[in-house]
């Protein structure tokens, strides 16, 4: 069976130029590979924002949760990586859906060691973001946010996300910084492949230590990676 990698869906918002009904299309994609996948890796930023309250998860994504649960029931290993928009996962995905949640992970797939990471903070030019992330991750700040009513908290997070997105659209992607980090980390960990998201650029790049690949995003192009017999292809679900 094949392995599949998707990234940067940012579900919960519909930015200008996005594919219509893209969450519905994502559910269709997951249904289409159920029973055919050995591994499914969601390489971060599945949601524009995620925060778990003790008795609340967003009802907007019920069909998505069901599709992911069915993937797990079919025997697939489903891995969810923390992104810069959805790093605050609790125990809903592991305990309720059977999904493994990581900051980064090395998987043995089809005879290859595959390093997976969202990619935020690995570029040297992401210094400002790394500082901001540390502030958001402080236990006191997480506790303060949890005191907000979920509806207010989601509204605030989406407001901040819209403004940060405007800033992000103007930044220059320095792909060489991502490739340099991947090359060094693959060498250190003895990996053959590195899968990165975050920058929304889809493609494959050969480096000294092996292959670096990125699924792109599920916003304007419904791209994903498929690994079959050790070979990785970049595909588009819009063409299916």
């Amino acid at each position: 069976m094949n392995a599949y990698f998707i990234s940067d869906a940012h579900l919960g918002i519909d930015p200008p130029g996005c594919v219509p009904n893209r969450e519905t299309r994502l559910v269709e994609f997951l249904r289409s590979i159920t029973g055919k996948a050995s591994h499914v890796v969601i390489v971060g930023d599945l949601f524009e924002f995620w925060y778990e309250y003790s008795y609340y998860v967003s009802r907007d994504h019920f069909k998505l949760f069901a599709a992911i649960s069915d993937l797990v029931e079919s025997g697939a290993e489903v891995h969810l990586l923390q992104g810069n928009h959805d790093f605050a996962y609790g125990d809903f995905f592991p305990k309720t859906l059977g999904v493994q949640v990581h900051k980064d992970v090395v998987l043995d797939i089809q005879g290859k060691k595959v390093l997976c990471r969202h990619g935020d903070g690995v570029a040297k030019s992401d210094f400002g973001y790394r500082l901001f992330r540390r502030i958001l991750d402080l236990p006191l700040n997480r506790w303060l946010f949890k005191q907000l009513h979920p509806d207010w908290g989601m509204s605030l997070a989406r407001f901040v996300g819209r403004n940060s997105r405007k800033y992000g659209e103007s930044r220059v992607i320095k792909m060489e910084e991502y490739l340099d980090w991947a090359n060094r980390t693959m060498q250190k960990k003895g990996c053959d492949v590195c899968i990165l998201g975050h920058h929304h650029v889809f493609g494959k790049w050969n480096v000294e230590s092996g292959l670096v690949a990125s699924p792109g995003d599920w916003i304007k192009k419904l791209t994903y990676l498929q690994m079959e017999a050790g070979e990785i292809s970049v595909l588009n679900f819009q063409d299916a």
Side-chain angles (χ1 to χ4, degrees):
M1 293 193 286
N2 299 335
Y4 299 88
F5 307 83
I6 62 171
S7 184
D8 293 279
H10 293 270
L11 301 177
I13 60 166
D14 291 311
C18 70
V19 175
N21 303 313
R22 58 199 185 85
E23 183 161 352
T24 299
R25 299 303 308 280
L26 179 55
V27 171
E28 290 174 0
F29 168 70
L30 296 177
R31 294 291 186 194
S32 74
I33 62 174
T34 299
K36 304 174 184 177
S38 62
H39 299 75
V40 177
V41 184
I42 303 169
V43 194
D45 283 357
L46 175 61
F47 303 101
E48 175 68 10
F49 174 74
W50 180 268
Y51 194 87
E52 287 184 33
Y53 295 83
S54 299
Y55 303 102
Y56 169 86
V57 292
S58 176
R59 66 181 183 181
D60 293 342
H61 309 298
F62 177 80
K63 291 183 178 180
L64 175 69
F65 299 149
I68 291 174
S69 178
D70 287 346
L71 266 173
V72 175
E73 290 292 328
S74 75
E77 280 188 28
V78 181
H79 299 267
L80 175 62
L81 302 189
Q82 298 168 326
N84 53 304
H85 283 257
D86 57 358
F87 57 86
Y89 287 108
D91 61 8
F92 172 71
F93 274 87
K95 288 190 175 181
T96 306
L97 303 182
V99 173
Q100 301 177 52
V101 178
H102 320 268
K103 179 179 179 181
D104 53 55
V105 65
V106 176
L107 302 171
D108 291 308
I109 305 176
Q110 299 170 12
K112 295 184 181 293
K113 293 181 73 67
V114 183
L115 167 65
C116 303
R117 179 163 173 157
H118 180 57
D120 55 306
V122 307
K124 294 179 180 179
S125 54
D126 268 358
F127 173 78
Y129 161 73
R130 289 195 293 270
L131 178 62
F132 183 60
R133 170 68 178 272
R134 287 185 180 182
I135 294 171
L136 291 177
D137 242 351
L138 289 173
L140 175 61
N141 289 337
R142 284 211 186 191
W143 181 85
L144 288 171
F145 188 86
K146 197 170 186 177
Q147 307 317 302
L148 294 174
H149 186 282
D151 290 346
W152 297 350
M154 291 295 293
S155 296
L156 174 61
R158 287 172 178 173
F159 172 78
V160 173
R162 283 193 298 270
N163 285 277
S164 67
R165 183 167 301 283
K166 292 177 183 177
Y167 166 77
E169 287 175 351
S170 63
R171 70 187 178 98
V172 177
I173 302 298
K174 297 182 178 180
M175 188 58 67
E176 66 277 7
E177 294 184 352
Y178 292 93
L179 297 180
D180 178 64
W181 178 90
N183 185 50
R184 288 184 285 106
T185 308
M186 290 165 65
Q187 189 174 40
K188 180 179 178 181
K189 294 180 177 288
C191 294
D192 308 292
V193 178
C194 178
I195 308 294
L196 288 174
H198 183 56
H199 47 65
H200 294 210
V201 179
F202 64 88
K204 300 188 297 182
W205 301 266
N206 290 307
V207 296
E208 183 180 353
S209 299
L211 179 71
V212 182
S214 295
D217 67 49
W218 204 273
I219 300 177
K220 296 183 179 180
K221 294 181 182 295
L222 309 185
T223 52
Y224 63 97
L225 302 177
Q226 175 181 285
M227 187 172 183
E228 181 178 10
E231 298 295 325
I232 290 181
S233 303
V234 183
L235 303 173
N236 193 324
F237 192 61
Q238 288 173 295
D239 298 333

